[in-house]
């Protein structure tokens, strides 16, 4: 006779500190964004927008995938997450298909421009200093490559290459202040 | 957050200098920060790359347009000046049709057997029939900067001509026996790229068939060498090498874009004959190639009227230049004319006017042609009656000289309502349009088919036209060239059209890659991009972008500068209160109105304008900032010089047209006439005083003639630093006692002559790597004493002073001109 399976109360789950739920970000609502750009700035944006416009008849439309590039080309540096947010969290397959026009673009751009945590030169240097083991102003190129390719919003290998091209010295070290200047100067 | 997956593992733990573990969160934040900045950097780089590309492309097309306009203008002159006017005589020869090929006569003209090859010549000595080894040796010789002796050039070209005459208009190739076919696009005189292709892919052979898709010449500096190599392989492997004609295989285009100049410089004695023979060869090049009856390879593209059956039947050699309408086939034409030349001209005039007045199926394109001519004169829009009147007058003029037997012919000239004659015109024009479309068209994203106004010939065709064409002819893919692409190739029209471009670094060092394609029996294209790296060695992508951008901006600044008067006028019209200031928007729109380049001026403005106050720009100050040293003459007014400088390409082209014997020299009188022509073309007054002043101030050889190259030398914008260096070289040469007097104008001088090329600016600011200077410095004794003006101008820029002295010694070698 099979012993009746006693319904054992499941062992109480080990008290795990509940993972802090990522703050539920409200969906991006373009209508709520107040545009504070000057007319001059808008003209500038239009010019740049046209440069990215690859539609046959110059319809002043760009793909979702290009939106992030355009915002960055205009001087902002949002994370990919932030870009996805203003785009309304599109699906991966939509990125190259869905288009937005200039009027849809403006509130997105405005939102990014207003974002607080923009990152200055010092922040950037601080970020790199994290990897400065010896505290001597240099980071190991190899380590930086590894970090950039495996952590955060991962970069692809060729992107890492492009970034680091010519930056490492003979010992494979990078002087990060110079590095930061290089990136920011373009 | 974000797209990254974070592993909170030991592996990713970081430690600070005291060995304390850094919380993963901070590491993460740091990583994201760096990544954000990188992405911004990359985006900005991409934007710069794009506008740089736009700059080069607009300028290239603007220049091409100019050439077409010039050509149309000259055609207009032909039609509308009285037969005996001197201007007309100057240019009539380019409209003279190719005489019907009386081969024996021509072969006598191209006879090479009396050309001796001196003992000291160490280049290849060809024996015919050629074999594979000789072809390989030829490649090797050119790689080592040797030059083939004119005797062998003529011989090789003659053999090529004979072979091409028996080839059909449509090459048919098959991939049977699992042969992979290699296809190459535009080469434009860039020998390095051809060598790179051969290096990567192997040379043509029985196992390795090749198709070359036109535009072998112009712009680059080794056009003749490329032709010789391709022709050599064609002769050795006639069943495995296929050449298509490109729009640059056309002597009229060559006048402007550098090939004519290159040949005349490299072959001073026999260049003229070589060019004439090449004219014939170009007209005999096949028009398209078809692989396995499935893939069409053509240089430009198609139109909605392209019909392969019709193309197969054309006498392609009648179309010596795709820009010239055909000679009409006249039934009673015999050889007994007293003045056949004048008759030819009349026929041609008639054809051209025919295209103006008769309602044609081409509609839009014809009206475009007509419009361009109308630019030049209001009288072009004649009524039909006036047309007939003019023609009758001309017919009478000729009639008085011809015998009665031709009266019937003359009468057909004056009564064009005869269906037969118009039919003949129609056929002629139909065929002409077919060829023009094949060689000049470009694809566009929208459906439809419209005249290609940017280039001035051919059309823009859309995906629907592609679909229709492929279906009608049972094809699956069109491979074409004609347009430069960033990666060397690009698909469009649903991957049914492939653009293939094989000249890397076309606009500038680092601007783009080239590519070749291999097709096997499965007809799936495999791409092989490359970049000739002698000058890009060690440059990363961002460095390439920067370098290219630098050149593009320099070119653009130059354009702005030479349009100063027009721009100033435009600004002053806006700035009515004469404040000297103008807002950015107005600045941008004024520039676009004057230059018509369709560029993003606002995006570019930080690069072009050093400062603005309160969003306004001080335009006078801006011009001062842009200022480059101009060629100056006390007596010639600045705006005139500016005008002449701006149109120097056109001026040079007219010179070369006027220089009927291709000697590089024209008489004073012809020079005067040239300037008058230019004046009419530009609709700008060039007064007699100015012309006289120019004549006098040009440093002539004191023999009553003006050297074209030398004259054009005067018209370069030189920036101060280069001028200083140039002066020092000249001084060096003058001081160097052991330098014997060179009677010919020394052409290896401070001139970094702007190539009549896509990039109006001269060499990039950074001297190229030492490779080029080495090769230039070590020219072998085979080359003529004076080096070509087109040789890497970096001779002066790259060479340190000591080398310059060596240079002086080397150039002294006197070799009998070839």
């Amino acid at each position: 006779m099979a012993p009746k399976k006693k319904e054992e109360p499941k062992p109480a789950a080990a008290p795990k500190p509940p993972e802090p739920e990522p703050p539920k970000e409200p969906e991006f609502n373009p209508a709520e964004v107040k545009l504070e750009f000057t007319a001059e700035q808008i003209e500038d944006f239009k010019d740049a927008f046209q440069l990215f416009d690859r539609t046959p008849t110059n319809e002043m439309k760009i793909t979702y995938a290009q939106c992030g590039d355009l915002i960055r080309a205009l001087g902002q540096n949002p994370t990919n997450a932030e870009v996805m947010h203003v785009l309304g969290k599109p699906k991966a397959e939509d990125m190259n298909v869905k288009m937005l026009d200039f009027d849809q673009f403006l509130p997105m751009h405005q939102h990014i421009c207003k974002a607080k945590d923009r990152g200055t030169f010092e922040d950037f240097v601080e970020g790199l200093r994290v990897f400065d083991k010896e505290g001597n102003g240099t980071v190991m190129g190899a380590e930086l490559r590894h970090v950039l390719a495996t952590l955060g919003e991962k970069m692809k290998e060729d992107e890492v290459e492009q970034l680091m091209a010519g930056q490492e010295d003979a010992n494979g070290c990078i002087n990060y202040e110079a590095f930061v200047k290089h990136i920011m100067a373009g | 957050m974000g797209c990254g997956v974070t592993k909170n593992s030991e592996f990713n733990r970081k430690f600070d200098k005291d060995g304390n573990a850094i919380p993963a969160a901070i590491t993460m934040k740091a990583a994201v920060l760096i990544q954000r900045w990188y992405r911004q950097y990359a985006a900005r780089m991409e934007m710069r790359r794009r506008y740089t590309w736009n700059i080069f492309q607009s300028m290239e097309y603007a220049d091409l347009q100019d050439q077409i306009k010039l050509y149309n203008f000259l055609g207009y002159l032909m039609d509308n000046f009285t037969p005996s006017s001197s201007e007309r005589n100057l240019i009539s020869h380019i409209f003279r049709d190719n005489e019907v090929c009386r081969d024996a006569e021509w072969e006598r003209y191209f006879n090479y057997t009396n050309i001796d090859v001196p003992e000291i010549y160490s280049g290849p000595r060809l024996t015919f029939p050629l074999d594979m080894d000789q072809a390989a040796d030829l490649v090797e010789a050119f790689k080592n900067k040797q030059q083939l002796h004119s005797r062998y050039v003529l011989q090789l070209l003659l053999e090529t001509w004979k072979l091409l005459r028996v080839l059909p208009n449509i090459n048919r190739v098959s991939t049977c026996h699992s042969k992979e076919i290699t296809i190459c696009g535009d080469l434009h005189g860039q020998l390095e790229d051809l060598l790179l292709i051969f290096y990567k892919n192997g040379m043509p052979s029985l196992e390795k068939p090749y198709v070359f898709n036109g535009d072998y010449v112009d712009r680059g500096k080794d056009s003749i060498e490329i032709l010789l190599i391709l022709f050599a392989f064609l002769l050795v492997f006639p069943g495995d090498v296929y050449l298509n004609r490109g729009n640059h295989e056309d002597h009229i285009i060559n006048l402007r874009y550098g090939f004519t100049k290159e040949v005349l410089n490299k072959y001073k004695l026999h260049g003229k004959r070589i060019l004439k023979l090449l004219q014939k060869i170009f007209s005999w090049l096949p028009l398209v190639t078809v692989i396995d009856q499935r893939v069409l390879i053509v240089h430009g593209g198609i139109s909605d009227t392209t019909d392969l059956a019709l193309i197969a039947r054309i006498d392609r050699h009648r179309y010596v230049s795709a820009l010239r309408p055909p000679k009409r086939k006249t039934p009673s034409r015999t050889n007994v004319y007293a003045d056949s030349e004048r008759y030819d001209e009349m026929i041609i005039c008639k054809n051209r006017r025919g295209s103006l007045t008769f309602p044609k199926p081409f509609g839009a394109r014809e009206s475009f042609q007509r419009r361009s001519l109308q630019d030049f004169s209001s009288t072009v829009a004649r009524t039909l009656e006036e047309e007939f009147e003019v023609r009758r007058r001309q017919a009478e003029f000729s009639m008085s000289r011809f015998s009665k037997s031709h009266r019937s012919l003359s009468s057909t000239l004056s009564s064009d309502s005869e269906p037969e004659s118009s039919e003949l015109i129609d056929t002629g024009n139909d065929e002409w349009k077919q060829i023009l479309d094949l060689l000049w068209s470009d694809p566009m994203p929208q459906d439809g088919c419209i005249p290609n106004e940017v280039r001035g010939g051919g059309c823009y065709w859309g995906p629907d036209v592609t679909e229709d064409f492929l279906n009608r002819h049972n094809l699956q893919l069109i491979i074409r060239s004609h347009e430069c692409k960033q990666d060397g190739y690009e698909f469009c029209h649903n991957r049914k059209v492939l653009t293939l471009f094989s000249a890397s670094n076309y606009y500038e060092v680092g601007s783009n890659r080239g590519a070749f394609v291999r097709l096997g029996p499965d007809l799936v294209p495999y791409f092989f991009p490359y970049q000739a790296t002698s000058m890009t060695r060690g440059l990363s992508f961002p460095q390439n972008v920067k370098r290219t951008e630098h050149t593009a901006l320099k070119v653009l600044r130059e354009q702005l500068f030479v349009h100063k008067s027009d721009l100033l006028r435009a600004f002053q019209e806006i700035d009515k209160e004469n404040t000297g200031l103008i807002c950015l928007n107005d600045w941008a729109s004024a520039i676009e109105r004057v230059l018509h380049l369709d560029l993003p001026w606002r995006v570019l403005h930080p690069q072009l304008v050093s400062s603005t106050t309160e969003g306004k720009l001080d335009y006078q100050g801006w011009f001062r900032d842009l200022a480059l040293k101009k060629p100056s003459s006390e007596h010639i007014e600045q705006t005139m010089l500016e005008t002449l400088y701006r149109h120097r390409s056109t001026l040079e082209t007219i010179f070369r047209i006027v220089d009927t014997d291709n000697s590089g020299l024209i008489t004073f009188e012809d020079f005067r006439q040239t300037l008058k022509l230019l004046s009419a073309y530009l609709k700008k007054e060039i007064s007699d005083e100015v012309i006289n002043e120019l004549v006098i101030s040009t440093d002539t050889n004191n023999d009553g003639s003006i050297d074209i190259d030398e004259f054009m030398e005067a018209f370069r914008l030189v920036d101060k630093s280069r001028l200083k260096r140039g002066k020092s070289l000249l001084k060096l040469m003058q001081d160097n006692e052991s330098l014997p007097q060179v009677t010919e104008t020394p052409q290896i001088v401070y001139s970094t002559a702007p190539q009549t090329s896509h990039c109006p600016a001269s060499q990039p600011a950074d001297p190229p790597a030492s490779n080029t200077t080495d090769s230039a410095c070590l020219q072998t004794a085979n080359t003529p004493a004076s080096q070509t003006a087109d040789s890497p101008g970096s001779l002066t820029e790259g060479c340190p002073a000591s080398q310059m002295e060596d240079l002086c010694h080397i150039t002294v070698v006197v070799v009998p001109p070839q």
Side-chain angles (χ1 to χ4, degrees), chain A residues 47-142:
Chain A
D47 235 19
F49 193 90
Q50 254 169 344
L51 204 51
F52 280 75
D53 173 9
R54 304 206 92 179
T55 56
T57 41
N58 276 341
E59 297 157 26
M60 282 290 268
K61 287 208 174 115
I62 60 176
T63 63
Y64 270 35
Q66 289 175 297
C67 184
D69 287 334
L70 181 53
I71 295 180
R72 289 171 174 129
L74 289 172
Q76 304 304 314
N77 59 346
T79 59
N80 281 347
E82 287 166 351
V83 173
M84 290 306 210
H85 175 68
V86 296
L87 283 173
K89 303 234 177 62
K91 297 192 275 265
E93 55 267 23
D94 284 342
M95 292 301 282
N96 278 317
V97 172
K98 279 176 94 167
M99 312 274 272
L100 57 136
D101 65 22
F102 188 64
D103 291 323
Q104 292 168 296
F105 170 74
L106 276 180
M108 296 180 184
H109 188 47
Q110 180 72 83
H111 181 86
I112 303 277
C113 285
K114 285 212 193 126
K116 276 166 256 153
D117 185 13
R118 296 261 301 278
T120 59
F121 176 85
E122 287 72 30
D123 289 332
F124 197 0
V125 173
E126 280 305 309
L128 280 163
R129 189 164 293 137
V130 167
F131 305 102
D132 178 1
K133 291 225 186 52
E134 331 252 313
N136 59 1
T138 66
V139 295
M140 286 295 297

Side-chain angles (χ1 to χ4, degrees), chain B residues 508-634:
Chain B
E508 166 58 275
V509 171
S511 65
N512 65 290
R513 295 154 104 191
F516 62 89
V517 149
R518 283 219 290 254
L519 279 187
D522 57 359
L523 296 182
V524 171
Y526 290 91
F527 298 101
F528 296 84
Y530 54 82
Q531 196 156 20
T533 53
S534 68
M535 287 194 259
T536 62
R537 197 171 296 142
L539 289 181
S540 63
F541 177 74
Q543 280 176 306
N544 268 338
V545 171
K546 282 183 207 160
R547 187 202 183 92
T548 315
E549 183 195 17
H550 182 94
T551 305
L553 290 171
K554 198 156 88 133
V555 163
L556 200 53
R557 275 188 214 106
E558 202 184 87
Q559 277 299 301
L560 290 168
F561 188 65
V562 297
H563 282 86
K564 175 174 167 178
S565 342
D566 288 336
L567 285 171
L568 203 51
R569 208 174 317 128
F571 291 154
Q572 281 165 341
E573 263 171 46
I574 298 173
D575 177 26
K576 298 216 164 54
E577 286 117 46
N578 225 350
T579 59
L581 298 174
I582 184 173
C583 78
L584 212 46
N585 249 351
D586 290 332
W587 174 83
S589 51
I591 292 190
E592 184 55 32
R593 267 204 310 278
V594 171
L595 290 185
H596 299 296
L597 285 175
D598 195 20
L599 289 174
W601 296 107
R602 292 193 66 104
V603 173
L604 291 170
H605 98 261
Q607 308 282 9
L608 298 171
V609 174
S610 49
S611 65
T612 52
T613 35
E614 293 164 27
K616 286 198 174 255
L617 165 76
D618 163 19
Y619 50 86
Q620 297 281 12
W622 179 55
F623 282 124
R624 275 196 302 274
D625 282 340
L626 276 183
L628 307 159
K629 179 144 176 58
K630 275 207 295 207
S632 69
S633 159
E634 301 88 58

Side-chain angles (χ1 to χ4, degrees), chain B residues 269-300:
Chain B
L269 256 193
H270 301 283
K272 210 174 46 142
R273 272 201 277 168
I274 292 177
L275 284 173
K276 191 74 192 171
L277 185 44
L278 279 168
Q279 242 186 59
K280 299 186 166 314
I281 288 181
F282 286 165
S283 72
W284 274 107
L285 284 170
L287 297 170
V288 308
T289 299
V290 177
I291 299 188
D292 285 350
Q293 303 184 64
R294 284 277 168 279
V295 177
L296 177 76
I297 308 181
V298 64
H299 175 73

Side-chain angles (χ1 to χ4, degrees), chain A residues 13 16 33-34 39 43 52 58-59 63 65 73 76-77 95 131-132 143 154 158-160 163-164 171 174-175 182 186:
Chain A
K16 242 198 291 186
V33 177
K34 180 156 169 277
E43 286 300 321
F52 280 75
N58 276 341
E59 297 157 26
T63 63
Q76 304 304 314
N77 59 346
M95 292 301 282
F131 305 102
D132 178 1
E143 176 161 3
K154 299 188 242 191
D158 56 322
E159 290 177 323
V160 176
L163 177 65
M164 316 269 286
N171 298 325
I174 299 182
N175 173 319
H182 156 70

Side-chain angles (χ1 to χ4, degrees), chain B residues 636 668-669 671-672 675 689-700 706 711:
Chain B
I636 302 179
F668 282 154
E669 193 42 47
F671 178 71
R672 240 177 269 275
L675 287 170
E689 289 86 48
V690 170
I691 295 182
N692 287 333
E693 175 57 43
L694 278 171
V695 168
I696 294 169
S697 67
T698 305
D699 190 21
T700 71
I706 294 174
F711 180 76

Side-chain angles (χ1 to χ4, degrees), chain B residues 730-748:
Chain B
L730 188 58
K731 189 156 191 322
L732 209 61
M733 286 171 76
Q734 286 167 347
D735 289 345
N736 193 341
E737 288 298 330
S738 58
L739 193 73
Q741 291 311 307
V742 188
T743 47
E744 268 185 73
T745 320
Q747 285 180 316
I748 176 246

Side-chain angles (χ1 to χ4, degrees), chain B residues 243-280:
Chain B
L243 303 179
N244 283 348
R245 186 176 185 184
N247 64 310
H248 277 260
E249 274 68 63
D250 181 329
H251 69 284
I252 302 213
I253 300 285
N254 298 150
L255 279 171
R256 190 188 189 95
Y257 290 102
F259 181 50
T260 307
K261 189 169 166 179
E262 178 191 325
V263 173
L264 292 178
N265 277 329
K266 286 181 178 169
Y267 294 99
K268 295 206 183 303
L269 256 193
H270 301 283
K272 210 174 46 142
R273 272 201 277 168
I274 292 177
L275 284 173
K276 191 74 192 171
L277 185 44
L278 279 168
Q279 242 186 59
K280 299 186 166 314

